Amino acid sequence: MSVSIGQPVPDFTATATGDTTVTLSELKGRQVVVYFYPKASTPGCTTEGGDFRDRREAFDAANTVILGVSRDGIRAQVNFKAKQDFNFELVSDKDETVCGIFDVIKLKKLYGKEHLGIERSTFLIDAEGRLAREWRGVKVPGHAQEVLEAAQALHAG
């Protein structure tokens, strides 16, 4: 069961880069972008992360925290963040707890083989912890800008 627009997002705590754990309820009072990507250090995920990185100041101005989430282990996330100079934390969701809240694990096909993987998706949570917007089956070009504009509009009220 996934959270729906207007509903409170269930609290979660997850291991993140920077030797931190992220707890959603501790971010109350700020908007939160949670974007899910299939795999660290792959081309599309690198581009998407870079697009969020390059807009970080504008997200900050809109009182919005950015969190990238994948099923990669914390070491892979730390390396990915360092190599790409990401200025936000990446969450390691190996047990798929956060993925489950947002229902982003989907049956995918790669080279004719089916497997379960993360569907590239982004969620915007308002300052009260409710789901404000969702983007599923995301195409990377232009996406971070669209999310930024939604965060700015939400922040402006």
Side-chain angles (χ1 to χ4, degrees):
M1 186 198 89
S2 71
V3 66
S4 47
I5 302 290
Q7 296 300 306
V9 176
D11 198 20
F12 62 83
T13 299
T15 303
T17 52
D19 287 326
T20 60
T21 54
V22 172
T23 301
L24 184 62
S25 59
E26 291 174 3
L27 297 172
K28 214 168 211 154
R30 299 192 68 191
Q31 298 176 166
V32 182
V33 166
V34 182
Y35 82 92
F36 291 87
Y37 58 94
K39 186 139 183 61
S41 301
T42 56
C45 301
T46 300
T47 300
E48 184 178 27
D51 289 347
F52 279 109
R53 175 197 61 219
D54 297 346
R55 289 165 177 76
R56 167 71 191 274
E57 282 184 24
F59 276 105
D60 285 349
N63 192 34
T64 305
V65 177
I66 303 166
L67 295 174
V69 182
S70 78
R71 298 186 303 179
D72 294 294
I74 194 64
R75 179 175 285 144
Q77 298 289 49
V78 167
N79 291 343
F80 186 35
K81 179 183 175 186
K83 187 172 180 196
Q84 300 303 327
D85 202 25
F86 291 158
N87 48 13
F88 53 87
E89 302 307 334
L90 299 179
V91 171
S92 171
D93 192 33
K94 281 180 90 78
D95 65 2
E96 300 178 3
T97 301
V98 184
C99 291
I101 290 169
F102 293 96
D103 189 30
V104 296
I105 302 293
K106 304 291 181 190
L107 193 61
K108 299 168 80 175
K109 264 197 170 124
L110 185 65
Y111 306 119
K113 286 190 166 45
E114 289 188 337
H115 68 282
L116 287 174
I118 289 180
E119 176 185 49
R120 193 181 305 278
S121 308
T122 302
F123 301 87
L124 176 60
I125 301 167
D126 71 17
E128 277 73 55
R130 292 183 305 261
L131 185 62
R133 290 276 310 266
E134 66 178 14
W135 294 262
R136 294 181 179 272
V138 166
K139 301 286 181 254
V140 172
H143 177 63
Q145 183 62 35
E146 186 182 336
V147 174
L148 173 60
E149 289 166 8
Q152 289 168 328
L154 185 62
H155 180 62

